[in-house]
Amino acid sequence: MENRTYTADAEPGESVTVAGWVHELRDLGGIAFLILRDTTGKIQIKFEKDEMDDELVETGLGVARESVISVTGDVDEEPRAPTGVEITPDSVEVVAEADTELPLDPSGKVDAELSTRLDNRTLDLRKEEVQAIFTIRAEIQHAARETFRDLDCTEINTPKIVATGTEGGTELFPITYFGEEAFMNQSPQLFKQLIAGSNVERVFEIGPIFRAEEHNTPRHLNEATSIDFEGAFCDHHEAMDVAEAVVTAAYEAVNENCEDELEALGLAEEFEVPTGDFPRLSYEEAIERINATGELDEQLLWGDDLPTEGEVALGEDVGEHYFITDWPSEIKPFYIMDQDDDEQLSTGFDLMHPRMELVSGGQREHRYDHLIEGFEQQGLDPEAFDYYTKMFKYGMPPHAGFGLGGERLVMTLLGLDNIREGVLFPRDRQRLSP
Amino acid sequence: MENRTYTADAEPGESVTVAGWVHELRDLGGIAFLILRDTTGKIQIKFEKDEMDDELVETGLGVARESVISVTGDVDEEPRAPTGVEITPDSVEVVAEADTELPLDPSGKVDAELSTRLDNRTLDLRKEEVQAIFTIRAEIQHAARETFRDLDCTEINTPKIVATGTEGGTELFPITYFGEEAFMNQSPQLFKQLIAGSNVERVFEIGPIFRAEEHNTPRHLNEATSIDFEGAFCDHHEAMDVAEAVVTAAYEAVNENCEDELEALGLAEEFEVPTGDFPRLSYEEAIERINATGELDEQLLWGDDLPTEGEVALGEDVGEHYFITDWPSEIKPFYIMDQDDDEQLSTGFDLMHPRMELVSGGQREHRYDHLIEGFEQQGLDPEAFDYYTKMFKYGMPPHAGFGLGGERLVMTLLGLDNIREGVLFPRDRQRLSP
């Protein structure tokens, strides 16, 4: 609409046309108020029944909630109105009438189950606090991209239809590709390495990944957004620095640019930007500290992977973002390099939020012979990965990188209970639609 | 590498460590030159055989081309060197030795078939002009995102695994999703509309789309990048303005920020930024002008879709980007709205580069009853799309949008012959790997 004014921009003394949804109607007898809502906020429309054209009053007050209307009128200061201004309408047009029965109440007065909300996302997103989550999500992605650009990284797009999975055939969704078996990619891992091995050197990608895991928890998704980095001539220490920079930049950007959204989510007071310099705990230190909490029934032994309750106990103990480094090689994937001076230890690292793992990364194995051995030890046929391994024969520089769970970053940054709150249309074992 | 200097930053008088690939070796007898290449460019390393340590000379001159090496030494001015400076090495370390037989010559002296290049993308991307394409591609995506942000759009991520296709079951890749039939999404169309119908109002997405079309041409892909926009309270005219702004911004950004890359591609002289204000031809005018060119064997009649050779003839005639508007309703999809005053005419539009279609868009049908009719006319069962259509009952504002082919934008902007030149790992009927 060419001449539409956002409600947030309607200034007293102006004549404006605003358009949006009927948020609320309050009929006080001789006077009635309609609250109109658009993407920028809300504004009060005043109907004085005796002084206005009957048809105008009837149209304005007869319309069902959540209908779309357009209102032209004069803006005046009104200290008692929610935003300090109100519009006295000259005309009201009903643009799209809504059913009187709504599956969900966007005014938020009636709580709804998450599944009802996800089934009716359009209505759900009309709530200020839900809209705020997705404004912040967009801001986080923007901050991540700008950080990568500042660090000389080139944005890439890698294929999502692939012939083989990153770590073999498990946990992949199979597709039929012109009669051939193919899969939806579970990680850009192998592809970003192939680009880091070229002149492009430092790359990032923010894109979908697909995992056919049977998990059904508040922090797993079967389709997620991965924030990936890979850099030639980087080691795992530098990759950790990049991960730290991206996570910190996300908090900074939200803190600077999303004041209203944090307010809408009730987080304005408590929101804290991490100071960076996340502590770097060795795996050995991590299991010792977990064992010392006494939260686990059984003590962890060197070589055990960290169970969820161990991560939670350690997170509470550390109380801020932290890295876990020096993992046993045997519990990290084959493409992660062992340490030079101790092949029992891996260069792999995890970046943890106190609540959960955010990032997994490490220096990659760039030596052809070691890589082939790694495939074999993992029980994978190196031949099937020939398109990848052969490039390691033609001058593959040392390189390192990581994958950061985009939704986990949103979830932990905002303290969401369920990862699905931060995804427009989540995919899990039960949910394929909308 | 902590103390690495990019070749482009090596200043005379400094002692530096550079790292990269052995681009070329020239042995002139008593003196020899090694050209080292990294992501920023190239630098000459000088070996004076009689004056240097034998082992150093042997290491530097004995290494196979495309091996990765690291060189520490002093930088001096040398007008005869390709970049005006050279390094006299104190030490040379071979970081990753390359095979002496390469499937592809990154120095570009030997031409390779596209399929060989795609099979060996890591080597291919070591060519300056290939790297330049992907630097420019990243710049185009960045320019598009910044333009959308300036236009109050929120970035969204919509699901790629879906229960139904945008336009029914044809041309979809089927997947098995926990025992259920699902598909890879061919367009974010329905999802972006669902978000435009909420308070978010104006959205964009840059993400993968999947089309199981049997086309095998230089301008079709089976996995592509779609640049999508959708805006509530927008009509098709406003959507055309947004499309024009995004395409123009892409050219401007490349012109401003990618001088070296245009140079590498031999385009620095001829590159032109479109002035905007693309002509808007009606469909009727378009077929008249095509018929007038005499390039087609048969005259086009009102209602015909435009054949490729018709688009090419018209593009040559117009000579710049242009829109085609006022299409017959019957050849546009059901979700495109008819014009108010003539339901034979659609609000759909295409934005054309002289070589091919870039964008398809229009105002969307937001009226529930009309939408259901549209599904039925298209032979689709509206019940299967209930997750989408039901939201149109709860106050769906008028809205408009478009999808812009990301690779077609790269291809036309750079004058590439084949769309695959602008995709790291293209997917087509024959190619699933790497």
Side-chain angles (χ1 to χ4, degrees):
Chain A
M1 284 174 63
E2 300 270 333
N3 56 357
R4 175 189 183 208
T5 301
Y6 282 138
T7 58
D9 299 333
E11 297 289 342
E14 291 178 343
S15 174
V16 299
T17 298
V18 294
W21 292 267
V22 177
H23 184 68
E24 209 182 331
L25 278 168
R26 279 185 301 139
D27 197 331
L28 308 176
I31 195 165
F33 299 104
L34 181 158
I35 307 294
L36 180 144
R37 192 190 65 236
D38 70 10
T39 191
T40 66
K42 302 188 191 86
I43 201 160
Q44 175 166 302
I45 318 288
K46 179 176 65 177
F47 292 88
E48 291 171 299
K49 295 185 190 169
D50 295 342
E51 291 170 34
M52 284 181 174
D53 178 68
D54 283 350
E55 211 182 302
L56 180 71
V57 171
E58 226 166 87
T59 307
L61 302 182
V63 69
R65 281 176 51 217
E66 293 306 318
S67 297
V68 178
I69 62 170
S70 156
V71 176
T72 302
D74 295 322
V75 187
D76 293 300
E77 285 193 48
E78 172 47 73
R80 288 165 299 177
T83 58
V85 298
E86 67 179 8
I87 293 176
T88 306
D90 295 323
S91 72
V92 173
E93 189 201 343
V94 178
V95 177
E97 177 100 43
D99 275 10
T100 49
E101 298 271 322
L102 300 174
L104 184 78
D105 176 15
S107 79
K109 286 181 186 148
V110 185
D111 271 350
E113 299 268 343
L114 183 58
S115 72
T116 306
R117 292 177 45 206
L118 295 176
D119 285 343
N120 300 280
R121 222 13 163 171
T122 305
L123 286 166
D124 184 48
L125 272 161
R126 293 185 191 165
K127 293 181 214 155
E128 197 183 355
E129 68 275 19
V130 180
Q131 185 187 355
I133 293 173
F134 291 95
T135 305
I136 287 172
R137 180 182 161 121
E139 190 65 31
I140 289 171
Q141 290 195 6
H142 186 255
R145 284 201 195 89
E146 292 302 304
T147 306
F148 284 126
R149 280 172 61 95
D150 288 347
L151 294 169
D152 297 330
C153 302
T154 301
E155 182 171 7
I156 59 171
N157 306 98
T158 63
K160 306 309 161 203
I161 303 177
V162 296
T164 56
T166 305
E167 295 169 39
T170 60
E171 299 178 344
L172 290 168
F173 290 115
I175 77 166
T176 307
Y177 189 80
F178 299 117
E180 280 189 73
E181 182 185 61
F183 303 96
M184 302 185 70
N185 205 9
Q186 65 191 151
S187 157
Q189 181 63 36
L190 309 186
F191 297 98
K192 64 182 180 166
Q193 289 188 255
L194 290 179
I195 308 306
S198 80
N199 275 17
V200 183
E201 286 199 12
R202 290 164 77 95
V203 299
F204 75 94
E205 177 170 20
I206 301 183
I209 57 169
F210 309 92
R211 303 205 167 179
E213 294 172 354
E214 300 256 333
H215 292 298
N216 216 4
T217 80
R219 60 200 184 119
H220 286 94
L221 293 165
N222 294 105
E223 175 174 344
T225 305
S226 187
I227 301 176
D228 273 274
F229 164 76
E230 200 72 27
F233 303 102
C234 283
D235 63 17
H236 53 300
H237 301 293
E238 288 168 277
M240 282 191 267
D241 292 344
V242 175
E244 191 171 274
V246 169
V247 170
T248 308
Y251 278 81
E252 277 167 0
V254 171
N255 193 51
E256 267 175 43
N257 306 325
C258 302
E259 208 179 320
D260 292 347
E261 287 77 13
L262 290 173
E263 188 73 50
L265 288 159
L267 296 173
E269 300 290 304
E270 69 195 68
F271 192 76
E272 268 179 52
V273 178
T275 53
D277 277 328
F278 302 151
R280 299 183 180 191
L281 274 64
S282 71
Y283 165 85
E284 192 168 351
E285 221 176 321
I287 57 172
E288 277 168 16
R289 284 178 70 162
I290 293 171
N291 286 339
T293 64
E295 292 287 331
L296 299 197
D297 295 338
E298 266 184 75
Q299 296 276 292
L300 291 175
L301 299 175
W302 204 92
D304 289 345
D305 209 344
L306 304 191
T308 303
E309 53 284 25
E311 286 181 5
V312 171
L314 183 57
E316 275 174 18
D317 191 24
V318 178
E320 59 174 321
H321 287 86
Y322 62 102
F323 287 99
I324 306 178
T325 63
D326 303 288
W327 289 81
S329 298
E330 63 188 39
I331 55 175
K332 283 288 173 188
F334 68 91
Y335 52 78
I336 303 276
M337 205 163 174
D338 298 337
Q339 294 188 12
D340 272 352
D341 46 3
D342 184 351
E343 67 171 30
Q344 298 298 305
L345 291 180
S346 143
T347 63
F349 64 85
D350 287 359
L351 169 55
M352 312 289 295
H353 178 275
R355 291 176 65 194
M356 71 190 72
E357 180 194 325
L358 291 182
V359 170
S360 188
Q363 186 167 346
R364 316 309 188 181
E365 182 52 77
H366 67 281
R367 298 161 300 182
Y368 180 77
D369 298 341
H370 288 75
L371 188 69
I372 297 294
E373 266 175 44
F375 271 102
E376 285 162 354
Q377 280 168 15
Q378 200 104 353
L380 296 172
D381 176 12
E383 288 279 320
F385 292 85
D386 187 49
Y387 67 87
Y388 164 75
T389 57
K390 71 175 175 182
M391 287 301 123
F392 286 67
K393 293 191 286 190
Y394 308 128
M396 179 62 73
H399 57 286
F402 63 78
L404 160 59
E407 284 79 11
R408 287 188 168 201
L409 181 55
V410 175
M411 180 185 184
T412 53
L413 187 144
L414 293 178
L416 305 178
D417 289 333
N418 192 315
I419 199 165
R420 293 161 184 78
E421 301 258 359
V423 186
L424 288 170
F425 301 101
R427 292 290 174 259
D428 61 33
R429 226 170 51 199
Q430 273 81 43
R431 182 170 288 277
L432 179 56
S433 158
Chain B
M1 286 173 62
E2 300 270 333
N3 56 355
R4 175 189 183 209
T5 301
Y6 281 137
T7 59
D9 299 335
E11 297 289 340
E14 291 179 344
S15 174
V16 299
T17 298
V18 293
W21 292 267
V22 176
H23 184 67
E24 208 181 331
L25 279 169
R26 278 185 300 140
D27 197 331
L28 308 177
I31 195 165
F33 299 105
L34 182 157
I35 307 295
L36 180 144
R37 194 190 62 236
D38 70 9
T39 190
T40 66
K42 302 188 191 86
I43 200 160
Q44 175 167 301
I45 318 289
K46 178 176 64 179
F47 292 88
E48 290 170 300
K49 295 183 190 169
D50 295 341
E51 292 172 30
M52 285 180 174
D53 178 67
D54 283 350
E55 209 181 301
L56 180 71
V57 172
E58 227 166 86
T59 307
L61 303 184
V63 67
R65 281 177 50 217
E66 293 307 317
S67 297
V68 178
I69 63 171
S70 155
V71 176
T72 302
D74 296 321
V75 187
D76 293 301
E77 283 193 48
E78 172 47 71
R80 287 166 299 178
T83 59
V85 297
E86 68 180 7
I87 294 176
T88 306
D90 295 324
S91 72
V92 172
E93 189 200 342
V94 178
V95 177
E97 177 100 43
D99 274 10
T100 49
E101 297 271 321
L102 300 174
L104 185 76
D105 175 17
S107 79
K109 286 180 189 151
V110 186
D111 271 351
E113 297 269 342
L114 183 59
S115 71
T116 306
R117 293 177 44 207
L118 296 176
D119 284 343
N120 300 282
R121 223 12 164 171
T122 304
L123 285 167
D124 185 49
L125 272 161
R126 293 185 190 164
K127 292 181 216 155
E128 196 183 356
E129 69 275 18
V130 179
Q131 184 186 355
I133 292 173
F134 291 95
T135 305
I136 288 173
R137 181 182 159 120
E139 191 65 32
I140 289 172
Q141 291 194 5
H142 186 256
R145 284 201 195 88
E146 293 302 305
T147 306
F148 285 126
R149 279 172 62 95
D150 288 347
L151 294 170
D152 297 330
C153 301
T154 301
E155 182 171 6
I156 58 171
N157 305 98
T158 64
K160 306 309 162 202
I161 302 177
V162 296
T164 56
T166 305
E167 295 168 39
T170 58
E171 299 178 345
L172 290 166
F173 290 114
I175 77 167
T176 307
Y177 189 81
F178 298 117
E180 278 189 74
E181 182 185 62
F183 303 95
M184 301 185 71
N185 205 8
Q186 67 192 147
S187 156
Q189 181 64 35
L190 308 185
F191 297 99
K192 64 182 181 167
Q193 290 188 257
L194 291 178
I195 308 306
S198 80
N199 275 17
V200 184
E201 287 198 11
R202 291 162 77 94
V203 299
F204 75 95
E205 178 170 20
I206 301 183
I209 57 169
F210 309 93
R211 303 206 167 177
E213 293 171 357
E214 301 256 332
H215 292 296
N216 217 4
T217 80
R219 59 196 187 125
H220 286 94
L221 293 163
N222 293 107
E223 176 175 344
T225 305
S226 186
I227 301 176
D228 273 275
F229 164 77
E230 201 71 28
F233 302 104
C234 283
D235 63 17
H236 53 300
H237 301 292
E238 286 167 279
M240 281 191 266
D241 292 342
V242 175
E244 191 171 273
V246 170
V247 169
T248 308
Y251 279 81
E252 278 166 0
V254 170
N255 194 50
E256 268 175 43
N257 306 326
C258 302
E259 207 178 321
D260 292 347
E261 287 77 12
L262 290 174
E263 189 74 49
L265 288 159
L267 296 173
E269 300 290 305
E270 69 195 70
F271 193 75
E272 268 180 50
V273 177
T275 53
D277 277 329
F278 302 150
R280 299 183 180 191
L281 274 63
S282 71
Y283 165 85
E284 193 169 348
E285 219 174 322
I287 56 172
E288 276 167 19
R289 283 178 70 163
I290 293 171
N291 286 338
T293 64
E295 292 286 331
L296 300 196
D297 294 339
E298 265 185 76
Q299 296 276 293
L300 292 173
L301 299 176
W302 203 92
D304 289 345
D305 210 344
L306 304 192
T308 303
E309 51 289 19
E311 286 181 6
V312 171
L314 183 56
E316 276 174 19
D317 192 25
V318 179
E320 58 174 323
H321 287 85
Y322 62 102
F323 287 98
I324 305 178
T325 63
D326 304 286
W327 289 80
S329 299
E330 63 188 40
I331 55 176
K332 283 289 173 187
F334 68 91
Y335 52 77
I336 303 276
M337 205 163 173
D338 298 338
Q339 294 188 11
D340 272 351
D341 46 3
D342 184 351
E343 67 172 32
Q344 298 300 305
L345 291 181
S346 144
T347 63
F349 64 85
D350 288 0
L351 169 55
M352 312 290 294
H353 179 275
R355 289 177 65 195
M356 70 190 73
E357 181 193 324
L358 292 181
V359 171
S360 186
Q363 185 166 345
R364 316 309 187 180
E365 182 53 76
H366 68 279
R367 297 162 300 182
Y368 180 77
D369 298 340
H370 288 76
L371 189 68
I372 297 294
E373 264 174 48
F375 272 101
E376 285 162 354
Q377 279 168 15
Q378 199 104 354
L380 297 171
D381 176 12
E383 288 279 320
F385 293 85
D386 187 50
Y387 67 86
Y388 164 76
T389 58
K390 72 176 175 182
M391 288 301 125
F392 286 68
K393 293 191 287 191
Y394 308 127
M396 179 60 72
H399 58 286
F402 62 79
L404 160 59
E407 284 81 10
R408 287 189 170 202
L409 181 55
V410 175
M411 180 185 184
T412 53
L413 187 142
L414 294 178
L416 305 177
D417 289 333
N418 193 316
I419 199 164
R420 293 162 184 78
E421 301 258 0
V423 185
L424 288 170
F425 301 102
R427 291 290 174 260
D428 60 35
R429 227 169 50 199
Q430 271 82 43
R431 181 170 288 277
L432 179 56
S433 162

